[in-house]
Amino acid sequence: MNFTQEDAKKLLEIIKARRDVRGNRFISTPIEDEKITAILEAGISAPSVGYSQPWKFVLIQDAKTKVSIAKNFAHENAKAQEIFQERSLYKELKLEGIKEAPINIAVLYEPSPKEVLGMTSMKKMGEYSVVCAVQNMWLMARALNIGIGWVSILDEQKVLKAIQAKEHSQLVAYLCVGYVDKFYEQSELKTLGWEREKLLEESVTYL
Ligand SMILES: Cc1cc2nc3c(=O)[nH]c(=O)nc-3n(C[C@H](O)[C@H](O)[C@H](O)COP(=O)(O)O)c2cc1C
């Protein structure tokens, strides 16, 4: 199938309109089952090293589990506040939406018990494959006007225990998923002056 210029333009529009969404923007409107399925389908359509498809998605709606993850975040974020004590803005930042988002999705990497084609030299390719799934989900969610926020200020082992993950699983992403009151036009961390935008010429070298 050949796509049109219009299709490519639309794809770029979705890529550029994707935002990380935190608790201050989520609304409680439930997400339709078919939209969750579409987001997960996008995830499992990602490329993966040796076609190993090493992902597992844990959908979390249970309030008790969310409370335990939110406590985990609060504990880890207190440590982060110490690390960033020179930058007073850090304390003002809302960096998760665990309780506000109607659904949380833990995206896990389950290493294969056998050798994987393409992973014989570079050992992190399994985890990278799962990241590809996360990005697909993020973009599909945005195309459906659903927000996703990635939370990484967490004690991984405690999360794995709270969600009863299989032994050897790794937490790649903890996602907060829900409808939003609005999507920001640019990264909130840029707007708030935490980081500046890197230009294309700073990101590319030519040999
Ligand atoms: C691997 C990864 C981890 C992230 N962890 C967090 C996090 O713990 N808390 C948070 O508020 N945002 C987190 N983010 C979101 C980034 O802050 C966000 O993507 C960045 O500021 C750019 O903004 P945008 O996604 O809205 O364009 C994470 C993003 C990535 C890719």
Side-chain angles (χ1 to χ4, degrees), residues 91-135:
K91 284 207 207 69
E92 315 297 320
L93 300 172
K94 174 79 175 156
L95 295 171
E96 51 78 41
I98 298 160
K99 288 194 268 188
E100 295 91 340
I103 297 187
N104 294 181
I105 304 179
V107 187
L108 307 182
Y109 166 55
E110 287 190 349
S112 166
K114 52 180 198 200
E115 287 298 341
V116 174
L117 182 158
M119 251 178 81
T120 42
S121 299
M122 295 177 76
K123 303 295 180 189
K124 290 184 190 162
M125 294 302 134
E127 288 96 318
Y128 295 167
S129 303
V130 180
V131 175
C132 292
V134 174
Q135 179 70 345

Side-chain angles (χ1 to χ4, degrees), residues 7-92:
D7 294 328
K9 240 177 92 185
K10 188 56 77 186
L11 176 60
L12 184 62
E13 225 176 277
I14 295 166
I15 289 171
K16 285 188 178 271
R18 183 212 50 78
R19 290 277 79 77
D20 187 83
V21 176
R22 290 127 188 158
N24 46 347
R25 296 274 71 90
F26 284 118
I27 55 174
S28 57
T29 310
I31 309 176
E32 302 84 338
D33 287 347
E34 63 271 21
K35 294 197 177 163
I36 290 292
T37 304
I39 292 169
L40 294 169
E41 284 278 352
I44 64 164
S45 305
S48 63
V49 64
Y51 200 40
S52 54
Q53 303 152 82
W55 36 65
K56 182 70 96 193
F57 307 93
V58 183
L59 271 66
I60 301 152
Q61 285 173 287
D62 171 55
K64 261 170 80 177
T65 309
K66 281 186 177 181
V67 167
S68 124
I69 306 288
K71 277 190 190 153
N72 179 335
F73 170 84
H75 189 256
E76 293 302 305
N77 201 38
K79 291 195 261 175
Q81 285 181 4
E82 285 295 310
I83 293 166
F84 288 111
Q85 57 180 301
E86 307 283 286
R87 297 190 70 183
S88 55
L89 174 61
Y90 187 90
K91 284 207 207 69
E92 315 297 320

Side-chain angles (χ1 to χ4, degrees), residues 152-206:
S152 50
I153 307 161
L154 292 168
D155 179 313
E156 180 184 1
Q157 292 310 316
K158 284 189 195 156
V159 173
L160 292 171
K161 196 167 168 216
I163 63 173
Q164 298 158 41
K166 230 168 80 179
E167 211 191 348
H168 304 304
S169 302
Q170 292 175 36
L171 179 68
V172 170
Y174 192 89
L175 305 176
C176 303
V177 187
Y179 283 107
V180 302
D181 59 357
K182 65 171 173 182
F183 284 97
Y184 293 131
E185 282 186 12
Q186 60 177 22
S187 166
E188 201 179 0
L189 293 186
K190 179 184 173 190
T191 305
L192 297 173
W194 183 264
E195 281 293 349
R196 70 168 186 89
E197 184 175 352
K198 246 191 206 173
L199 302 171
L200 183 59
E201 50 267 36
E202 295 175 87
S203 307
V204 186
T205 54
Y206 300 90

